[in-house]
Every structure is written in C-alpha cells, then in structure tokens.
Amino acid sequence: MFRLYFFLLFAIALSFVISSFAKSPDLPEIKEAGSFVPRTETVKWMSLGHNSTAASLFWISGIIAYSETMFDGKTFKWLSHLADASTRLDSLFKTPYTFVGAITANNDPDTTDYVLLRRGVKTYPDDWRLAISAAFRFANGPGNDYAYAAEIMKPFESDTTAPPHIRGTSRTFKLRSMPLDVAIAQIIDDCLNPDYRTFQRGLAVKAARVLNSQDISNIESILTDASKQRIEPQTAFVQLMKMAAPNIP
C-alpha cells in the first residue's frame, strides 16, 4: 500500500514538472530566463528526491529548443541556464558540462556559463577534456582569468593519460597571468634549464604569446643563443622585451 501511495505521489509530482514545460511559451520569444526555467528548489520538492529525473527533463527540453533554433536562424540564449539548473539538481549529470563547454565560444561576452564550468571541473577534477574547455574559456573570456585557467590545468602536468600538449597548458596559462617582465624572465630561466633544451620551440611559442608577437623564429633564435651561452641571459631579456607588441593587454 505504501509503495502504491509513493508511486502515485511521484507520478503527480512528475506531471507537474512536465506540465511546467508543456505550458511554457516558445523559447526563442522568451525575454527573461526565469520565465521559462522553474526554480530548482521548487523542482526538487516536486520530484520527491528523484532529482536525476527532473534534471534530465530540464536538459532534454533545452536540447530540443536549441536544435529547433538551429533551423530557424534564431538564437537560443538559455542553454547555460538550463544546464546550470540541471546540474544543480544532479551535480553528477556530466553531459551539460561538456556540451556547454564545447559549444560556447571562448570569447563569448555572456558569462552565465562560468558558474556551470566551475561546478563541472570541481565535480570531475580528473577529466582533462572538460578541464581544457573550461580553462580556455576562463582565459579568453571576459576577465581573462589566466591564473584560474592555470589552476584548473595544474593537476594534469604529471598526468600520463593526457596528451603532452595538454600537460603543458598550465605553464602557458601561468605565464600569461604574470606581469610581462616576470613571464619573460621565467621563460629565459626555463631555456637555461638543461632538462628543457629539447623544448626550445615550445618555449619560443610561449614567449610569443606573452609578447603578443608573431616572430617566433627570431624569439627561438634568441632563446637558443641564451641556452647555448652565446649571449648573456640579461641580453636575451632585453632583446625579447624590445619585441613586445604595444597592444599587449
């Protein structure tokens, strides 16, 4: 009897959730996200503990709306809101994290996805694919938070399951977070390290990014001369600083 009673309560609650979506106006016409997305706390109460089911309903509705707008040329602005609501209901629901991370442009001015990505990398700290998407978003999005991007990628520096170019991204983001002179001094110090002599090209690319320069070949030549003691480190520092583009952020 108790099981039947519980099942009836769950069915009624679930019907309320479905009804809230069915009675909503067409998504592209919505002006405010709150007019479509029910409060997470309300849905938690109605779902009677079946948060994963409610999270799936949020997400399925969002994906349907998103796919429809791809055909009519309109813009669906609320996917991040729906993904946030879904993962607040069920933080282990991985798909919203990866999907929003994949489709959001790194320089998108809308930062509603930030809270979602922060939750994602905290929930799945061992997923380098999710981490790199989030890191590039925070590094290139509003705020250019290179320090947080470096923090996200740092655990993968010694992760042999991640590709080599992924393991080195933390260092790149960290250099971008430093003042220009400190970053260049650090790169020169790296090029003098015997363990890094086979990575001169990679160091040159990092220096070019820091300097906002396209002259990678010349930068590599300077670093190579410094590493082989053809020029003094201070001379290399001065030469590289002269190459800094005037529009460095």
Side-chain angles (χ1 to χ4, degrees), residues 26 31 72 83 88 106 109 113 125-126 152 173 204-205 217 226 236 238:
D26 292 337
K31 302 301 181 184
D72 60 23
R88 276 188 286 137
N106 285 336
D113 60 317
D126 299 326
I152 292 173
F173 290 130
V205 171
S217 296
V238 172

Side-chain angles (χ1 to χ4, degrees), residues 122-141:
K122 183 178 180 180
T123 305
Y124 292 100
D126 299 326
D127 189 329
W128 66 263
R129 291 177 177 82
L130 178 60
I132 194 64
S133 294
F136 273 108
R137 174 65 173 132
F138 283 105
N140 297 291

Side-chain angles (χ1 to χ4, degrees), residues 165-241:
H165 67 281
I166 296 297
R167 298 201 293 268
T169 54
S170 176
R171 184 69 164 170
T172 300
F173 290 130
K174 187 175 181 180
L175 288 170
R176 294 295 297 272
S177 70
M178 297 177 179
L180 177 60
D181 55 344
V182 176
I184 293 300
Q186 186 65 65
I187 290 173
I188 293 175
D189 186 60
D190 286 344
C191 86
L192 296 176
N193 187 334
D195 294 335
Y196 291 169
R197 282 183 179 172
T198 58
F199 302 105
Q200 294 298 320
R201 182 68 178 180
L203 292 173
V205 171
K206 287 179 172 61
R209 288 173 180 165
V210 172
L211 294 166
N212 196 27
S213 171
Q214 301 296 321
D215 195 357
I216 298 178
S217 296
N218 195 18
I219 293 173
E220 183 177 8
S221 177
I222 294 172
L223 292 177
T224 300
D225 286 344
S227 68
K228 293 183 177 181
Q229 300 181 346
R230 295 172 185 159
I231 60 175
E232 293 294 325
Q234 182 61 30
T235 302
F237 176 83
V238 172
Q239 290 179 356
L240 290 175
M241 289 297 291

